[in-house]
Amino acid sequence: MKPYRGDIGTVGWLPFLCLASLRRLHVIAIAALLLAIGASPTQARSSASAASTAHVYLLRGVLNIFSLGLDDIAVKLRAQGIPVTVANFASWSSLADEAAAGYKSGRIKTIILVGHSSGATALPDMVAKLDQLGAPVKLAIGLDSVFRTSLSGRVGRYVNFYIANGAGTPVQKTGQFQGKLENVNVQNVPGVGHMSIEKNLIMQQKVISEIDAVVFGRSVPASGARKPRQPEAASAARPGTASAAAVR
């Protein structure tokens, strides 16, 4: 009587079949992920390229200790592969030289500026200098500029988030300005204030969404839509200033 050896052929094939199944599952998982995010490998490479050739300059306010929320924004942008520089507003002129040099070399294709408080007040000067240096700004975002500022030079889009019932003011455009200006009153955003606007998670998301729309071609979420200016904010804008909007 021969000893029982079982179905050796079937058992020998099991490791191979399991490995093949795992590979198929891996491929299916990757395909499902790409479909879920709506991106092909080519689109993913394109997004990575767009991110690497953009540069966001974040300008803090006075003393470098009142705008630390910009550091949080920087971390979130870097996680998306977007190069970021965080500096005090007093460095705006040298940063403009740096950005212009990167633009002319082709290393930087999309220049984006964000400033808080005095950093927001310095943005128009930086926009104007970059225009003079032949390096147009694609997007500039001001967070509650503390002084009335006038905008000149070229910028694709300038968004000034300000608190109408606080220290912030709308930005005015001059005859030398080329681009789109939006003054947005955010006084109704929960928990927003001059010292917290850049730390407020709602505002941080608004800023990042605006940047992502420029860098990756994404649409700004509906929650960031601008609503008509409320009556209580009307007194914040003098005749001749750019139109304002309220965000709830």
Side-chain angles (χ1 to χ4, degrees):
M1 181 176 179
K2 295 181 180 180
Y4 176 74
R5 297 183 180 180
D7 192 349
I8 298 176
T10 302
V11 173
W13 279 96
L14 282 177
F16 176 78
L17 292 174
C18 290
L19 181 60
S21 297
L22 287 174
R23 286 174 177 169
R24 283 197 296 272
L25 288 173
H26 183 64
V27 171
I28 293 172
I30 292 175
L33 178 61
L34 290 173
L35 288 173
I37 64 176
S40 66
T42 300
Q43 289 173 322
R45 287 193 295 269
S46 177
S47 295
S49 176
S52 64
T53 55
H55 200 109
V56 179
Y57 293 88
L58 300 169
L59 302 184
R60 295 194 188 109
V62 176
L63 301 178
N64 264 351
I65 59 175
F66 300 117
S67 305
L68 297 183
L70 295 182
D71 294 65
D72 298 330
I73 293 175
V75 169
K76 295 173 183 177
L77 292 175
R78 287 175 181 138
Q80 298 184 84
I82 302 174
V84 178
T85 297
V86 185
N88 185 260
F89 78 97
S91 302
W92 70 264
S93 184
S94 60
L95 290 175
D97 291 331
E98 176 187 306
Y103 182 82
K104 291 178 180 178
S105 71
R107 180 175 55 84
I108 300 175
K109 295 182 179 179
T110 304
I111 299 174
I112 298 173
L113 312 178
V114 180
H116 170 237
S117 190
S118 293
T121 303
L123 287 189
D125 292 328
M126 192 168 177
V127 167
K129 181 170 183 178
L130 282 166
D131 183 31
Q132 294 169 1
L133 294 173
V137 176
K138 191 75 172 181
L139 172 68
I141 301 175
L143 297 171
D144 216 36
S145 174
V146 292
F147 299 103
R148 289 193 179 277
T149 53
S150 297
L151 188 60
S152 61
R154 287 180 298 162
V155 58
R157 188 153 165 265
Y158 194 109
V159 183
N160 176 51
F161 291 113
Y162 73 103
I163 304 171
N165 59 357
T169 62
V171 171
Q172 297 176 329
K173 56 184 176 180
T174 67
Q176 290 72 46
F177 173 68
Q178 298 179 44
K180 183 178 182 181
L181 169 64
E182 293 181 56
N183 280 303
V184 184
N185 174 20
V186 294
Q187 68 180 33
N188 293 319
V189 172
V192 76
H194 179 71
M195 302 302 294
S196 65
I197 186 171
E198 91 294 353
K199 301 176 187 68
N200 185 286
L201 294 180
I202 295 175
M203 293 306 304
Q204 285 188 1
Q205 188 54 52
K206 289 183 185 298
V207 171
I208 293 171
S209 294
E210 295 283 358
I211 294 172
D212 286 351
V214 170
V215 175
F216 301 113
R218 300 171 185 170
S219 58
V220 178
S223 59
R226 280 79 178 162
K227 296 182 179 180
R229 182 162 53 97
Q230 300 300 311
E232 64 268 23
S235 60
R238 297 182 306 185
T241 62
S243 61
V247 176
R248 292 187 181 275

